[in-house]
Amino acid sequence: MTPVMRSVEDIIALMGGPEAVAERCGVGTEAVRKWRQARAIPAKHWPAVIAATGLSLAELSPSTPPSEPSPETRMSAPAPQTDQPPAGATAALVLGDGTVLWGLGFGANTTSTGEICFNTGMTGYQETLTDPSYAGQIITFTFPHIGNVGANAEDVESITPAARGLVVKLDLTEPANYRATRHLDAWLKSYGIPGIAGIDTRALTARIRDGGAPNGVLAFPADGRFDLPALKAQAAGWPGLEGMDLAKEVTCRQSYQWSEGLWAWGQGYAKAPAKAHKVVAIDYGAKHNILRCLADAGCDVTVLPATATAEEILAQNPDGVFLSNGPGDPAATGVYAVPAIQGVLASGKPVFGICLGHQLLALALGGKTFKLDRGHRGANQPVKDLATGRVEITSQNHGFAVDEKSLPESVKVTHISLFDGSNEGIAATDRPAFSVQYHPEASPGPSDSHYLFRRFVEMIEQHKAA
């Protein structure tokens, strides 16, 4: 009987794992990761493998003819011509138009449906995956080394991740950071999030950039079986984010107090300083670091659910009201959020909004919103402050935007995107209210915009002194 060629994964398992392979072959674990990615072990290391495993040379020699495309090439192709899984494929990304992209699954063995977007950030993948604003979305990371800092309990922006899956080019990198407490793969499994590697993320990103974010299904079945007609129907039938209210899915279920301050190296999260101002934060999908920034600025933060009414908000007797970030279509969330915000505005309380909160404030002030073709997602987005001329590099995640032409005369534009000229900030001229589309809390991302939290506190102080 002809010996069957063993896969690289089988060989690594027989040798006791990546670290053992690296030691036996005299290489680093990064080299072993590249072997797994290429699905081949260089011939010069075969003697060490044979000595460690007892395998025959025939079980190590590739049986695929040199002229045939490699499994990586086949699985990375933007539009495979066959619906049959290529050799070694364990997961599929099925787009709404019927395109099937094959790859290697990781994370949870499950099937997930959502809008496929891309994120250009080079750091902070764990913060991105736990940002509630990504509810309903499968994230394509353009940065290749996902997994390199592992996962830990500090770098999370919500208790339960809302992202529905992730797409990467390379296999998950082994953790190489002193703060890592878990492998990203294990962390994803614990939250039921699937992932797929081996995808040509540059081609997929270009497709999203040119044609808009498609709906899709990420399938990583435990038994390796794919019902492609059903997956294609599932991808084509998903309604998309337009008209979808997702804030109710990610908001808190009851009010609570927030007291944790910002993180510091070697110290962790600090206790918030003295609380000078009472602020009510409406949770449409609030990131933890936004609440930390408010607390660090001296705010006594009470968090209320997205469905809180104006009466419930004002019953807290706040000095100011914060409107958080969140997922979904602002027009859908605005059905119940806008009346509440208008009631707060009528009271004269200072208001500050971020992301979805920015869009909802614009709706409450008489403006309109619309869905962007591709959205802004990443930690490298340039925004211009029209008052100062200063350009801030910002962290962003949004698929909807405020229509500047719809804003009334009592609302001025304060910030614009230098990518596409879309609106990034507004301020009311007849009341203490302002908002920005981007994320000033810098988690992940630059800290150029931390001053906005101080601006909110100064607005509160001026209002209290009046």
Side-chain angles (χ1 to χ4, degrees):
M1 181 179 294
T2 303
V4 178
M5 179 184 171
R6 296 297 190 102
S7 71
V8 173
E9 294 298 330
D10 286 344
I11 294 170
I12 291 175
L14 286 171
M15 293 181 69
E19 290 78 11
V21 173
E23 183 177 354
R24 286 273 193 170
C25 296
V27 298
T29 54
E30 179 64 14
V32 179
R33 185 195 66 76
K34 292 180 179 179
W35 298 352
R36 297 171 74 177
Q37 180 66 30
R39 299 170 186 84
I41 297 176
K44 67 180 180 180
H45 297 296
W46 289 358
V49 173
I50 291 172
T53 62
L55 296 174
S56 67
L57 185 61
E59 291 174 290
L60 301 181
S61 302
S63 58
T64 303
S67 60
E68 184 178 340
S70 68
E72 182 182 1
T73 300
R74 292 198 302 268
M75 289 189 287
S76 297
Q81 300 302 308
T82 176
D83 282 348
Q84 296 303 313
T90 59
L93 184 65
V94 182
L95 308 187
D97 65 359
T99 300
V100 181
L101 307 177
W102 297 101
L104 296 176
F106 57 87
N109 287 111
T110 187
T111 297
S112 184
T113 307
E115 179 184 85
I116 301 173
C117 64
F118 66 86
N119 182 286
T120 59
M122 295 178 65
T123 60
Y125 57 78
Q126 192 178 2
E127 290 98 323
T128 297
L129 289 166
T130 55
D131 179 352
S133 297
Y134 279 103
Q137 293 178 309
I138 297 169
I139 307 169
T140 301
F141 285 102
T142 61
F143 187 68
H145 303 299
I146 301 301
N148 54 344
V149 297
N152 63 71
E154 289 187 331
D155 291 349
V156 296
E157 290 299 323
S158 62
I159 296 175
T160 304
R164 296 190 177 182
L166 65 157
V167 180
V168 297
K169 169 62 177 175
L170 303 177
D171 291 342
L172 292 185
T173 308
E174 291 294 319
N177 186 278
Y178 74 99
R179 296 179 65 235
T181 57
R182 302 179 75 181
H183 193 291
L184 180 59
D185 181 66
W187 184 84
L188 292 167
K189 283 184 171 68
S190 70
Y191 287 107
I193 302 174
I196 183 171
I199 298 297
D200 187 343
T201 52
R202 293 182 69 180
L204 182 57
T205 298
R207 179 177 184 142
I208 297 170
R209 178 198 65 199
D210 296 338
N215 298 335
V217 175
L218 200 170
F220 179 28
D223 60 7
R225 297 180 180 179
F226 299 88
D227 185 347
L228 286 179
L231 292 174
K232 290 180 179 180
Q234 186 174 340
W238 197 67
L241 295 181
E242 197 160 6
M244 189 175 289
D245 173 27
L246 293 173
K248 285 182 179 178
E249 292 186 12
V250 297
T251 188
C252 58
R253 299 295 178 251
Q254 59 187 20
S255 64
Y256 64 93
Q257 296 296 124
W258 183 272
S259 60
E260 189 176 71
L262 294 175
W263 187 88
W265 184 78
Q267 301 176 22
Y269 290 110
K271 184 178 180 180
K275 303 170 183 178
H277 312 292
K278 184 173 179 59
V279 168
V280 167
I282 310 303
D283 177 16
Y284 303 113
K287 293 176 67 177
H288 287 173
N289 215 49
I290 292 178
L291 302 178
R292 295 184 189 110
C293 286
L294 288 170
D296 191 70
C299 298
D300 180 2
V301 182
T302 300
V303 184
L304 297 185
T307 54
T309 65
E311 292 74 20
E312 291 170 335
I313 297 170
L314 296 174
Q316 299 287 331
N317 193 29
D319 297 317
V321 176
F322 172 74
L323 311 176
S324 86
N325 64 293
D329 188 339
T333 304
V335 170
Y336 55 87
V338 165
I341 296 170
Q342 289 175 333
V344 172
L345 290 171
S347 74
K349 300 287 186 180
V351 175
F352 173 34
I354 288 175
C355 194
L356 179 59
H358 161 72
Q359 297 158 2
L360 292 173
L361 178 61
L363 292 174
L365 291 170
K368 295 180 180 179
T369 58
F370 66 97
K371 193 174 192 306
L372 294 165
D373 289 336
R374 54 197 62 83
H376 298 163
R377 296 178 178 90
N380 52 0
Q381 312 276 324
V383 169
K384 184 176 182 179
D385 184 332
L386 298 181
T388 64
R390 180 173 179 240
V391 175
E392 305 167 27
I393 301 303
T394 69
S395 179
Q396 299 196 22
N397 169 31
H398 63 103
F400 292 82
V402 171
D403 181 1
E404 290 186 358
K405 296 179 181 178
S406 70
L407 295 171
E409 292 184 0
S410 58
V411 179
K412 66 178 180 179
V413 174
T414 60
H415 298 75
I416 61 169
S417 167
L418 293 186
F419 275 160
D420 59 11
S422 61
N423 180 261
E424 294 283 357
I426 61 172
T429 59
D430 59 349
R431 64 194 78 191
F434 74 102
S435 60
V436 293
Q437 180 61 77
Y438 51 96
H439 284 262
E441 78 284 351
S443 185
S447 56
D448 296 24
S449 308
H450 268 186
Y451 71 90
L452 291 169
F453 295 98
R454 295 193 299 273
R455 178 180 293 180
F456 180 44
V457 169
E458 289 169 0
M459 181 179 284
I460 290 174
E461 291 172 344
Q462 292 171 3
H463 181 73
K464 291 169 72 173

